[in-house]
Amino acid sequence: MIKVYIADLSGLENEYDEKLNMLHRSRADKLNSYKMSADKVRSLGAGLLLEKGLEDFLRSVDDMCLVKAVSKETQSSKMNCRGRFTLPKDAEGRYIIEYGYGPQGKPYFKDYPDIHFSLSHSGKIAVLALADSEVGIDVQEFRGFQEKVAKRFYHEEEYKILEAVSEAEAKEMLFYKIWTCKEGYIKYTGKGMGQDLRSFYYDAKREKVCNEEAELANCQEIPLNTDNYFCSLVFHQNIKKIDKIIKLSL
């Protein structure tokens, strides 16, 4: 199961203090390390989206568990299922989320190790992917074609395709399509910027992340209904589709 959650962060700065008091303490404390107010707002929005998205995803898992239990027609199965996948709160009503970190720093939920997540924010948009297998998501606000970035980080196959596009808007669109797939993939693998971005490439025709030897993962555009951003989700190549894309109000 894969679910993608989207939040518009516009106006969140006007509710910053109120919303901050709703955020789980570990993330709220982290916001104090940011110097720029815009970074604080984006991080706050991402944190709120993570909480609301995880709550919804756990509810879905809980419902699926109950359906399976009902099919077994035993009361004990139902009792073991209902409420098993819930997000706890502290005495002040804040959600409690405990994180662990993999060997290369990729975060995971300590209490829900089988639920994988990826989080990204840019400009006024935050996105979250939750799944029962590895995922990577990235969103970028358009800031023009970045030729120096493409020359430094893009695989020769990607750069060759970019060079063939002459129209400015199309070139910018393709640049961010490739960039979000590459960012999504290094989140998917958990290797981050420690992975050579030129060691793999995005194949737009097949919507795959590949290297010279094999197809590595799927890369699918996530529609945001805005012309100023591009968002891509990377997931296992054996998975055929995303289950649901949900817009949440924070």
Side-chain angles (χ1 to χ4, degrees), residues 22-158:
M22 298 167 54
L23 197 64
H24 57 89
R25 288 196 175 277
S26 62
R27 187 148 191 127
D29 291 341
K30 185 179 179 181
L31 294 188
N32 294 326
S33 65
Y34 295 115
K35 295 181 180 180
M36 299 294 291
S37 59
D39 292 333
K40 290 184 176 183
V41 171
R42 280 191 287 269
S43 185
L44 171 63
L48 294 170
L49 179 62
L50 180 61
E51 292 180 348
K52 289 196 171 188
L54 181 56
E55 183 180 49
D56 176 81
F57 193 85
L58 288 171
R59 190 182 302 115
S60 298
V61 174
D62 201 39
D63 290 343
M64 288 172 61
C65 180
L66 186 61
V67 168
K68 291 179 181 179
V70 169
S71 68
K72 294 180 181 179
E73 297 183 348
T74 63
Q75 189 62 31
S76 60
S77 295
K78 297 177 188 177
M79 292 294 291
N80 289 333
C81 206
R82 175 57 70 191
R84 179 182 170 190
F85 302 98
T86 56
L87 195 55
K89 294 182 179 181
D90 64 17
E92 296 176 317
R94 295 185 177 94
Y95 289 112
I96 302 171
I97 303 176
E98 298 291 337
Y99 297 98
Y101 296 89
Q104 292 171 304
K106 186 175 183 178
Y108 63 88
F109 300 125
K110 280 188 176 181
D111 295 327
Y112 316 101
D114 294 329
I115 298 176
H116 303 265
F117 77 97
S118 184
L119 191 63
S120 180
H121 53 75
S122 180
K124 297 293 186 179
I125 298 290
V127 292
L128 166 70
L130 288 164
D132 52 12
S133 59
E134 293 290 357
V135 287
I137 198 166
D138 189 64
V139 62
Q140 294 290 331
E141 183 179 15
F142 287 179
R143 298 182 184 277
F145 171 52
Q146 308 290 317
E147 186 172 6
K148 289 183 179 179
V149 172
K151 282 184 175 179
R152 181 177 178 183
F153 295 111
Y154 282 19
H155 187 279
E156 59 182 350
E157 290 293 326
E158 295 166 330

Side-chain angles (χ1 to χ4, degrees), residues 189-200:
T189 63
K191 295 180 180 179
M193 293 303 291
Q195 185 168 0
D196 184 358
L197 292 176
R198 292 167 297 183
S199 66
F200 61 90

